[in-house]
Every structure is written in C-alpha cells, then in structure tokens.
Amino acid sequence: METGARLPLAVSRPRAVLLAGAVVVLVGGVLAAGLTVKADLSHLLPPGAASVRDLEEVQRRAQAFGNLLVGITADDPAARAVAAGALIPRLRALDPALVSGVISDDGSLRRHVWMYRYQYAPIDELERVRDELRRAVSKANPLFVDLSDERDGGAEPDRLAQLWARMDDAEARARAPSPLLSKDQRTQMIIIRATFPSTDAGKSRRVFDGVQAAIAATLAGAPAGVRIGATGDIATVMIEQDAIVRGMALATVVTTLLVALALLLYYRSLPALAVIFTALGVGTIATLGFARLAVGYLNSATAFLISIVIGNGINFPMLVVARYLEERRAGTAATLAVTRAWTGTRRGTTAAALTAFVAYGSLIVTDFRGFRDFGIIGAVGMLLCWAAAYTIAPAALTILGRRGHFARTPAEPALGRWLAALLPRRPALALAALALAAPLLATAAARYLASDPFEYNLRNLRASGRQALQARQWQRTLDDAFGQGISGGFVVAVERREDAPAVARKLRELGGATAPGQPSALLLTKVSGLDDALPGEQQQRLALLDELRRLIDRNAGKMADDKADEARRLRPPDGLRALGDDDIPADLALQYTEKDGRRGRLLFANTSAAVNGWDGRHLTALSRSVRALDLPPGTRVAGSAFVFADMVEVIRRDGPKATLAAFLGVLVVIGLTMGLGRHGLLTAVAATLGTTAMLALSAAAGLKINFLDFVALPLTMGIGTDYAANVLSRAREEEVGGAKRAVLTTGGVVVLCSFTTIVGYASLLAADNAGIRSFGIAATLGELCCISAGVWVAPLLLGAVERVSRRRRAIGVFSFSRGEETRS
C-alpha cells in the first residue's frame, strides 16, 4: 500500500457498500415492476403539439370506445354463414363489463328507419306518389281527359304499388335484418364495441384474448375453406405492445448471453464475470426504477433502451476489472490492486460516462417526448451504471480478493497484442490516407443530411411480425369489401352543435393540394355526423306528407277500389314531426355522443383512395389541407395523420438542436476531463471523425431517419467518445511510446467494451418494428466507426504528434548544445 494512500469507501467497507447495493436492487425492482409500455405514437410527441392538444381534448369529450373488427371469409357463402352462426354466440358471451355490444347485422338501423319510415321516405318518391294520387283522383272525374305522353307505348308505373312493395320489404328487413356482408356474399364482418378506450392495455388484453379464443374454437369446427381474423384499434394496440415487449425481452436476453460469453472468453474468470454483472445488475435495475419515478412508463422508443444500457453501461465495470487483473498479474496485492484499478481508470471512464450523459442529456432540451424520455432515462442510467462500477465492483473485488479467488490470475488476453500489431508500420502513408478520406466522409455526411432522409413509410414504424401482417391483411380485406371508410381517418370536434353541418360541408368539398400524384382528387371519401342519421329537408318532407294525408282523406272514396285501398294503407299517420338528435337510437348515435351526453358535435372523416394511409407525405399533405380550412373557433381535429405531421415537424426542428447540444456538450466534457492538450484535442477529433463516418455509411446503406435514428446520432457522439478517451487517458500515463502501449494494455478491453455495446444495438435487429431495427443498424455503424477511430485513428494521430514533439525537443537540445559549444 502506498504511504498515506486513502482507501476508497468501497475498499475499506465493502460489505456495507454491497448491502446498500442490495437495497437499491430491492427498491428499484419494486418500482420497475410497475412499468407499462405505451405503443401509441402520440406518446412520443410533446404535450404542446397541436395534434396532441387536439387529441387530448377529443379524448376528454368523446366516448373513446375501442373496437375489434372480425372478418369471416369463404368462397362458399353457405360455409361462411355456418361459421358466423357458430362464432356470434361465442362473441356475445364475452364479459358484458368489457363488451358493450356485438354488431353482426344492420338490424338497429333497419328498425329505426321502419319506425320513422314516413320521415325517411325520399322526397322525389313522395312527390311522384302525390302526383299519382292527383291523377287517380282526376281519373275518377267523368270530365277528365288524359293528355299524358304514351307515345313510347309504356303505361305509367303504379307508384303506389311500388312504394307499398318497398314498404313491405323494409318491414321484412326490420324484422329479419341482414348480416354485414360484401356484395359477393363471401366476406362477413362483425363489429365488437368495447366499454373502454383501446389504450387501456389491461382490458384490451382480456377482450383481445377472448376474441382470439372464440375464433380458434369456431375454426376448429368450421367447414373447410373458412378463414376468420381480427383487426381494429384494440388489435393494433395489443399487437404493437406485444411486439415491443417481446422484442425488449429478446433483446435483453440476447445481449446478456452474448456479452457474458464474450466476457468469459476474454477474462477466462468466472469471479470476474460475477463482479461485472453484479455491478451492471445494480445499475440497470436502478435505471428501471428511476424510469418508473421520472417517466412512469416506457414508449416505443424507450422500451429498447434497457438492452442499450446493458450493452454500454457494462463498459465501466469491465474497465475496472480489467485494470484490477492487470495489477494482479504484475504481483500487486489484492487491496492495492483494487485501489489502483479504482484510481487508474477513473479519468477515462469519467470522461466516457459524462460524454454519454451529455449525449443522452442533449435529448432533454427538445420538445419531442420520444427524445426527452429516452434522454432522461439514458443519461441517468449511464451515471448509475458508472456509480455501480466504482462502488459495487470494487467492493466485490475486495471481498473476492481477500478470499483468494484471484490468487491465480488468468494470463493477459491476446487481443491487446493483436490490436497493437495492426497499427500501421508506415504511419506516414496511413496519415495520408486519413487526410484524403476525412473530407470525402464529411461531404457524404453533409449530402445525406441535406437529402431529406426521413422515413415516410409508416409501415416501417410499426410492428412487422406475422401477427401484425395478418391484422393488416384483414383490414385490407374489410376495406375492400365494405369500403375504405371502415378504417383510416380522423375526428373533428366542434364547440357548437349548429357548426357541425357547415364543417361537414367544408370537409366534403376538400380537394386541391392532395396526395402526391393526385392533384385533383378529393382527399376524403366519407364525412359522417349525426346529421347524416337524420332525414334531410324535414319541413319540405312533412309538408308533402300533410298534402298526401289530405289527398287521401278527401279523395279515397272517389278512386277506384284497388287504388283507394292502396292509398288508405299508405296514409301518413297524424302527428308526424321533425326528428331530432334525441330520436336516434343510442347504439346508432354512440360514436356521436360525448361523455356528458351531448350529441352531434363530433364528426368522423375517412380518407379516400387518393391518400395512402401508410405514406407520411400523403398524411402530411392531408394534415396541411385540413388545417388550412376556415373552421369555427375551438374546432379540434385529431387523428394519426396530424400526429405524424407534427412528429416530422418536431424531428426536423429538434433533431439538429439535440445533435448540436450533444456535440458542444461532448467538447466541454472532453476539455474538463481530458484537458485542452493533445490528448483532449485528439479525443475530440476521433469522436468527430467516427460520427462523420457513421453518417456517410448510413447514406451508403440507404438508411432513413425516423424518430429513433435521430437518437443514434447524438448517442454516437457521446458513447463513441468512450473509446478514444480511455485509450488516450492510458497513453497519458505512459512516459515512452504511450500510443502503442495504450493499445497494448487498454485497447483489448476497449474493443470488448465496444463489442458489448454493439451487441446491445444489434439485438434490436430481432425487433418486429422496422424502425427499431433501422436504429440498431445506424447505431451499430456508429459503434464500428467510433471504435475504429478510438483504437486506430487516435493512437495513429497521437503517435504522429509524439514524433513531432520528440523531433522538436531533439532540435531544441541540439541547438542548445551547439550554442554552448560556440560560446566555449
């Protein structure tokens, strides 16, 4: 032990430190158990975004009931009907506390129309019946002369008989409604309405699983050729959430196993692995607990952060353990070896931890919730993992060392020697190649950022697994069978009921600047409101009905017997009145009814075939067109198109802001921890070169930027600084040949650190979400570039600087000696 050296707390009181770590694990685990996953893209946007404000207001007012659409298809309509007959009772048996209704036919609408059949009769039809009644009355007059045009030889159709036949048909349909069928009778749809919004994950899970069980039981006994599947917002939420949770678990398991295998091969010591994973476990669980306290949930961006924290946070204890083993190989006593590992690695890992903290923290300055939550959890997670590396790891090493577990330390890994052998033998040539490559990489990176590299294909921001693809296929099947109005669209909420008709009219007339390639097509195929459920021009219709009633009452006795009977049967009853909002049955008015019971202030619009609902450019054009309308004050517009449009705008605005904040923050941290001399300057150069190369490779790979890829850029700046900082920090300790000696001693463990981080990123490739996978690719490219800059470019540049410095010192000494000789 060095004289006067003060032992770190983790070395002097290791058991107390480990006990404190156990308490952190217990508390963090309890908090982490309450974390939920929210897959909706709205949870990525800032609360102040217009689309989020409108969405929250609409959700506050509307009865946001979730739904499931069940499709049944078969080439044989009889087989389809048999399967439907077996499935519907099973669906109706679902928990009524969760399912408000199962709509399998048009009975509610038919019964309502039949009850108010006179008020819904077409005006032109009533006018023709009136004219026929007048003609029938006139024919009963012996002085009547028929001057109608019969030159075509056809007799005037019997309007009374036709109307009576339609009335009979309407009554029959009201008593025996038709299933919801496509025109070819091969596709049937069943609508399941929930009593809760689809964002309620727990209830959505119960309904979704219940429907899937009912489908499976029906298919088990269904005729051959029958297919049944489910889609709708509940299905989408469940599939997206399942994909995130499944991918998160898989990424964590894959990262842990591959990292453990790599560490075992490198350290060849189970106690060393135990120390590293103990420190990592404390840091990771503490991070999850903090996430519960600070954010409360995980979104589609932060759900995969845990595997990244594992892959990157493990670097700190790895460096501590590697330095400890190096000291033990040199014959240093156990306690002194821990102390030297604690002090010797602290500068480099502190620089690495702080630059990673700044990289994550730079995301906090943005308004984008996806960035901000990612930054909050990641930044604190890096500090917690660093703190665990310098408390838990030294404490565990101290206890294990006292018990003799490292008495026989494994030989030094060969990786450092291999890396040192790869350093260029002709540095001048390598420096020339680097000088040529650097501007080319910078040009490629600049062109990439200027080329609008955003991801506009929304399919690449959603789950892409088998279950998700099946749900989308069923949605397309139902859209084709029943019209695109079944899915895709948005909600408009007006402040005053009387504003609804005018807003609906403006939406129906919407055209002009539409989706690319469709300059003149209408954007919307359907706009519906409660007014559509009410008869139009009711006063005119009531006047006609009054006239018909008077004609029949006064003249039925003058008509021929058959005409008189038909007229009396069709006589409009007394007391007919105009229908209002309250006359619409509750189930038909449900989607237009607000939580406080008010009706008619909600409108629903569905996009036309001209708008590709998966193309972000189309949705952005739709959003701009709708927002450009002169709508009444207080009107709210909510839908995925507006969420995506705001997301692109926020990424465009906040992405560069976060990147600049990360870059400046990293430079400040490097200056504070590495100094402003050659080692600090070269650390900054290596980090900048690695990030530039990442952008150039992303351009070459054709990667698109989405709400996660932008995160990869500032992260690469921060985490990529780790490697150059640790190599150059070790080089500073060496008196002669610092660059090569640093690669020989620290290069191996630094490459291993990069490998663990790459594993964390690469594990994201197992995700169902293509956006998550592209982030994994971009971040992996960044890691490869930064580790190359850290263990090859940084030592190369440092070696060149050292040679120039030695040459200058030699020239100075020579000049000084010559001067002394001359004076002599």
Side-chain angles (χ1 to χ4, degrees):
M1 181 71 63
E2 286 91 340
T3 304
R6 184 176 180 182
L7 292 177
L9 181 65
V11 179
S12 62
R13 303 190 63 182
R15 286 183 172 81
V17 170
L18 291 179
L19 179 61
V23 172
V24 170
V25 168
L26 179 62
V27 175
V30 171
L31 290 172
L35 277 173
T36 58
V37 176
K38 296 185 178 181
D40 195 316
L41 292 183
S42 65
H43 291 289
L44 301 176
L45 279 169
S51 61
V52 175
R53 292 198 310 269
D54 286 356
L55 182 62
E56 290 175 347
E57 174 62 19
V58 169
Q59 288 178 340
R60 185 187 64 81
R61 288 170 51 179
Q63 300 187 59
F65 298 128
N67 71 74
L68 274 169
L69 306 178
V70 178
I72 308 172
T73 63
D75 292 335
D76 180 5
R80 184 264 311 148
V82 169
L87 177 61
I88 291 171
R90 291 189 172 103
L91 297 178
R92 294 192 189 280
L94 294 173
D95 187 351
L98 301 176
V99 176
S100 63
V102 175
I103 303 173
S104 59
D105 55 44
D106 57 1
S108 181
L109 176 61
R110 295 286 184 184
R111 288 187 291 272
H112 171 68
V113 172
W114 173 249
M115 179 181 296
Y116 297 103
R117 53 194 174 277
Y118 293 98
Q119 286 96 322
Y120 283 98
I123 288 179
D124 58 345
E125 189 68 35
L126 293 176
E127 289 175 339
R128 285 193 290 268
V129 170
R130 178 200 61 191
D131 294 341
E132 183 169 345
L133 284 172
R134 288 175 177 174
R135 189 176 295 110
V137 172
S138 300
K139 286 181 178 180
N141 186 345
L143 300 179
F144 171 73
V145 178
D146 189 357
L147 299 178
S148 61
D149 187 3
E150 296 184 358
R151 286 174 295 178
D152 57 0
E156 181 72 17
D158 189 340
R159 300 292 182 183
L160 292 177
Q162 288 182 353
L163 182 57
W164 181 251
R166 281 195 290 273
M167 297 280 272
D168 282 342
D169 181 64
E171 183 178 13
R173 288 177 179 272
R175 296 182 184 280
S178 302
L180 305 179
L181 295 175
S182 60
K183 291 182 179 179
D184 61 9
Q185 307 288 299
R186 294 179 178 179
T187 302
Q188 182 170 349
M189 180 173 65
I190 302 170
I191 302 172
I192 302 170
R193 283 182 173 167
T195 59
F196 54 87
S198 60
T199 50
D200 189 324
K203 293 180 179 178
S204 289
R205 166 63 57 200
R206 292 166 60 188
V207 171
F208 184 70
D209 290 346
V211 170
Q212 292 296 331
I215 291 174
T218 302
L219 285 174
V226 173
R227 295 175 55 248
I228 308 177
T231 185
D233 54 4
I234 288 179
T236 298
V237 169
M238 285 297 93
I239 290 170
E240 292 292 335
Q241 189 172 54
D242 287 348
I244 290 176
V245 173
R246 186 169 56 249
M248 178 176 64
L250 180 60
T252 302
V253 171
V254 168
T255 300
T256 303
L257 292 178
L258 289 181
V259 166
L261 179 61
L263 296 187
L264 185 60
L265 293 175
Y266 183 84
Y267 290 102
R268 288 170 290 170
S269 169
L270 289 177
L273 260 68
V275 171
I276 292 171
F277 275 100
T278 299
L280 176 66
V282 174
T284 303
I285 293 174
T287 300
L288 286 170
F290 170 79
R292 170 71 186 286
L293 292 175
V295 180
Y297 60 88
L298 300 177
N299 57 43
S300 53
T302 56
F304 289 86
L305 186 58
I306 300 308
S307 63
I308 299 173
V309 169
I310 291 174
N312 188 229
I314 199 172
N315 295 355
F316 308 126
M318 283 172 56
L319 287 162
V320 172
V321 171
R323 186 60 174 269
Y324 171 79
L325 294 177
E326 181 184 337
E327 292 291 338
R328 293 303 302 271
R329 291 188 197 100
T332 307
T335 301
L336 180 57
V338 176
T339 303
R340 288 181 175 176
W342 193 87
T343 56
T345 60
R346 195 172 45 182
R347 180 192 295 270
T349 58
T350 300
L354 289 179
T355 53
F357 175 82
V358 166
Y360 282 107
S362 67
L363 305 177
I364 302 175
V365 305
T366 71
D367 291 331
F368 191 62
R369 201 180 331 183
F371 288 174
R372 190 191 62 208
D373 292 352
F374 198 97
I376 291 172
I377 298 172
V380 175
M382 287 298 99
L383 293 185
L384 291 173
C385 288
W386 180 88
Y390 285 89
T391 53
I392 304 301
L397 287 172
T398 299
I399 292 176
L400 291 176
R402 291 173 180 175
R403 296 179 178 179
H405 285 283
F406 293 103
R408 298 183 60 184
T409 306
E412 182 178 0
L415 183 56
R417 295 194 299 273
W418 297 344
L419 291 172
L422 291 176
L423 290 175
R425 298 178 181 274
R426 301 176 64 183
L429 184 61
L431 287 171
L434 183 62
L436 180 64
L440 295 177
L441 292 174
T443 301
R447 287 181 175 177
Y448 174 65
L449 293 177
S451 65
D452 190 23
F454 290 93
E455 178 60 82
Y456 290 103
N457 186 351
L458 291 187
R459 289 187 177 91
N460 291 336
L461 301 179
R462 291 294 190 184
S464 57
R466 180 182 59 84
Q467 198 175 25
L469 296 177
Q470 287 178 346
R472 290 174 195 157
Q473 180 58 51
W474 276 109
Q475 188 66 74
R476 286 192 293 271
T477 297
L478 296 180
D479 283 347
D480 292 342
F482 300 96
Q484 193 169 345
I486 295 297
S487 66
F490 54 92
V491 183
V492 180
V494 297
E495 282 291 323
R496 302 184 307 163
R497 172 67 177 91
E498 55 268 29
D499 290 334
V503 172
R505 184 175 62 254
K506 290 182 179 181
L507 290 172
R508 291 188 179 104
E509 295 172 352
L510 188 62
T514 66
Q518 304 284 344
S520 61
L522 291 178
L523 285 169
L524 306 175
T525 188
K526 180 181 178 183
V527 177
S528 64
L530 193 58
D531 288 309
D532 298 301
L534 294 169
E537 301 175 317
Q538 294 201 66
Q539 295 307 317
Q540 181 182 354
R541 183 178 281 102
L542 289 173
L544 274 170
L545 290 169
D546 286 341
E547 185 177 359
L548 286 175
R549 189 185 307 109
R550 290 194 300 271
L551 278 171
I552 294 170
D553 289 345
R554 279 185 281 192
N555 301 296
K558 303 175 184 179
M559 302 178 188
D561 291 342
D562 57 340
K563 289 290 184 183
D565 290 341
E566 289 180 356
R568 290 189 182 98
R569 293 170 65 191
L570 290 174
R571 178 188 182 277
D574 297 326
L576 292 180
R577 58 176 176 80
L579 302 182
D581 293 348
D582 293 336
D583 293 309
I584 306 300
D587 54 344
L588 295 181
L590 182 62
Q591 68 182 109
Y592 309 110
T593 305
E594 300 177 34
K595 292 176 180 177
D596 62 4
R598 283 189 280 185
R599 293 181 170 189
R601 299 195 303 163
L602 300 176
L603 300 169
F604 294 82
N606 294 94
T607 55
S608 70
V611 179
N612 181 349
W614 294 105
D615 190 322
R617 292 183 178 89
H618 287 215
L619 296 183
T620 301
L622 170 66
S623 172
R624 290 173 180 168
S625 298
V626 173
R627 285 173 170 172
L629 294 175
D630 183 19
L631 300 178
T635 301
R636 304 284 187 171
V637 183
S640 60
F642 308 93
V643 171
F644 182 83
D646 283 351
M647 184 177 295
V648 171
E649 180 183 349
V650 171
I651 289 177
R652 288 180 181 276
R653 183 185 70 240
D654 287 356
K657 185 194 304 184
T659 303
L660 178 61
F663 179 70
L664 296 177
V666 165
L667 292 182
V668 170
V669 171
I670 290 174
L672 293 175
T673 57
M674 299 292 292
L676 301 178
R678 67 181 66 168
H679 297 89
L681 178 62
L682 293 180
T683 300
V685 169
T688 303
L689 184 61
T691 305
T692 303
M694 169 217 175
L695 289 173
L697 290 180
S698 296
L703 293 180
K704 295 293 185 180
I705 294 176
N706 56 53
F707 60 87
L708 275 178
D709 289 339
F710 248 134
V711 175
L713 186 56
L715 287 190
T716 297
M717 288 183 180
I719 296 174
T721 305
D722 184 336
Y723 314 122
N726 280 289
V727 170
L728 294 176
S729 179
R730 181 59 186 268
R732 190 201 299 262
E733 299 179 20
E734 306 294 336
E735 295 182 359
V736 180
K740 186 171 184 178
R741 179 64 183 166
V743 174
L744 186 65
T745 56
T746 304
V749 71
V750 165
V751 168
L752 186 62
C753 289
S754 178
F755 173 78
T756 62
T757 304
I758 288 174
V759 168
Y761 288 140
S763 67
L764 304 182
L765 301 180
D768 281 345
N769 189 301
I772 299 290
R773 292 199 299 270
S774 70
F775 167 62
I777 295 172
T780 298
L781 290 177
E783 273 296 303
L784 293 174
C785 294
C786 287
I787 188 60
S788 299
V791 300
W792 187 77
V793 174
L796 175 67
L797 295 176
L798 180 61
V801 171
E802 287 178 340
R803 286 191 297 274
V804 171
S805 179
R806 287 196 299 269
R807 190 176 298 116
R808 286 180 176 176
R809 286 198 301 269
I811 292 174
V813 171
F814 176 74
S815 299
F816 177 78
S817 300
R818 294 283 295 178
E820 287 292 319
E821 186 177 309
T822 302
R823 285 194 297 273
S824 300

